[in-house]
Amino acid sequence: PLPQVLPALTNALEYGGASAKALEPLLRIAKDGLSEEDMQSQVVPTVVKLFANTDRSMRIPLLQTLPALMEHLSARVINETVFGHVSLGFADTSPVLRELTVKSMVALAPKLSRGNMGQVMRAFAKLQLDEEAAIRTNTTICLGKIAVHLDASERERVLIPAFTRSLKDPFPPGRNAGLLSFSATQQYYKPIDAATRVLAAVAPMVLDPEREVRETALGCLRAYMLKLEQASAAVGKPPGEASSADADAADDAVSKAADTVLKSMNWLTSAAAKAVGAPQQSAALTAGGGGGGGGG
């Protein structure tokens, strides 16, 4: 019966009698048989305590189940308790844990405070130089996915330098991720930045040795040229002269195009990275990585 099974599972997890395999049945039972009030009183406290566990065999499945937990975790609990433990994974010596920590930011970002998001950006700047190609690539993809949750000043400071840095990655999917992220975040850049900074970084990529990178670069250029055509048509016109309906339609088209790219951005798996033949070139990246990245 549920009243007996649930306390047994939570106690076993909390006091060390059970492995991480007990997490899945705990969450399944809680989801199917508990009210939100009971979930908060009987399950959430145990789960939150588990995030302090330093055992990777527990931390890894916790990160994997984090998206399913988010609806039950308040912003206060996340920012004051959970994030501090999760963020330790950014610098973990295990590539699997570093990568899962990066991916977990997609779930956490909507509830992160500005201070904690700043910590994420600083960690991402270092992870863009990680020795693991898949981690570098997925860090760039993750930044593109969570850009919507950054405030405007943070986006202006972080995005263009970070994506520009990724275009110098020796690993082709890493460069491709930078181009996709530029396309997925085009609505956040002023026309002058699009013209002088984004295009200057993207244009050379149409001559990349890799066909997929070249094709993504051309698609990115087309998107930004459309954005700049619209901006050019408005130059010199009084603010009230341009049709607000036309401007709204143009903005909507840019947002929809960016959203389409965003939805197409998938994580690079370690297996795929090996199939491409990912070089471990952290030294080359450190020497040649341009821009300030996401650090601050």
Side-chain angles (χ1 to χ4, degrees):
L2 185 62
Q4 295 176 358
V5 173
L6 202 58
L9 281 172
T10 55
N11 286 335
L13 279 166
E14 191 169 342
Y15 299 109
S19 71
K21 292 180 180 179
L23 261 178
E24 186 179 347
L26 171 67
L27 296 176
R28 188 169 61 247
I29 291 170
K31 182 177 181 180
D32 294 342
L34 289 185
S35 65
E36 182 60 24
E37 183 179 355
D38 289 337
M39 180 80 174
Q40 291 295 330
S41 64
Q42 298 180 40
V43 177
V44 169
T46 296
V47 171
V48 170
K49 288 178 183 177
L50 291 177
F51 278 101
N53 194 318
T54 57
D55 185 350
R56 289 188 186 123
S57 67
M58 180 63 76
R59 290 170 65 84
I60 287 172
L62 263 179
L63 290 172
Q64 291 170 331
T65 57
L66 188 58
L69 292 169
M70 287 305 298
E71 62 180 300
H72 306 295
L73 300 177
S74 68
R76 180 177 178 181
V77 167
I78 287 169
N79 285 292
E80 294 182 2
T81 307
V82 172
F83 177 76
H85 297 305
V86 171
S87 64
L88 296 175
F90 287 133
D92 199 273
T93 55
S94 164
V96 172
L97 194 56
R98 291 201 304 279
E99 187 169 357
L100 281 172
T101 303
V102 168
K103 293 178 178 180
S104 73
M105 292 305 112
V106 173
L108 288 173
K111 295 184 179 181
L112 284 184
S113 66
R114 183 174 181 179
N116 283 338
M117 187 65 88
Q119 187 176 335
V120 173
M121 294 301 101
R122 290 189 290 275
F124 275 19
K126 294 177 181 178
L127 288 163
Q128 279 196 299
L129 302 175
D130 198 276
E131 64 181 14
E132 297 288 334
I135 292 176
R136 299 196 304 269
T137 301
N138 285 331
T139 298
T140 300
I141 290 172
C142 187
L143 184 55
K145 288 177 177 288
I146 68 175
V148 64
H149 301 296
L150 299 174
D151 62 39
S153 62
E154 190 84 349
R155 283 197 292 258
E156 186 173 352
R157 184 180 69 85
V158 167
L159 296 186
I160 292 178
F163 298 148
T164 299
R165 168 185 280 175
S166 70
L167 300 185
K168 303 178 187 297
D169 197 308
F171 185 48
R175 301 195 296 277
N176 206 54
L179 292 165
L180 288 170
S181 294
F182 264 134
S183 295
T185 56
Q186 59 188 282
Q187 69 270 39
Y188 300 129
Y189 309 127
K190 299 172 185 176
I192 188 63
D193 287 330
T196 61
R197 299 172 68 193
V198 178
L199 287 187
V202 171
M205 306 307 293
V206 303
L207 301 177
D208 192 272
E210 297 293 327
R211 179 178 177 181
E212 183 180 6
V213 175
R214 295 196 300 273
E215 291 176 349
T216 304
L218 286 169
C220 185
L221 281 182
R222 292 187 191 103
Y224 276 90
M225 287 307 298
L226 178 60
K227 179 185 179 78
L228 290 174
E229 283 174 13
Q230 295 163 351
S232 178
V235 172
K237 292 184 178 179
E241 185 175 322
S243 166
S244 60
D246 289 346
D248 289 345
D251 289 343
D252 187 53
V254 169
S255 294
K256 286 182 178 178
D259 191 51
T260 298
V261 176
L262 193 60
K263 289 177 179 176
S264 74
M265 291 168 61
N266 298 315
W267 300 117
L268 179 74
T269 64
S270 296
K274 290 177 181 176
V276 176
Q280 294 193 352
Q281 298 189 30
S282 56
L285 281 168
T286 303

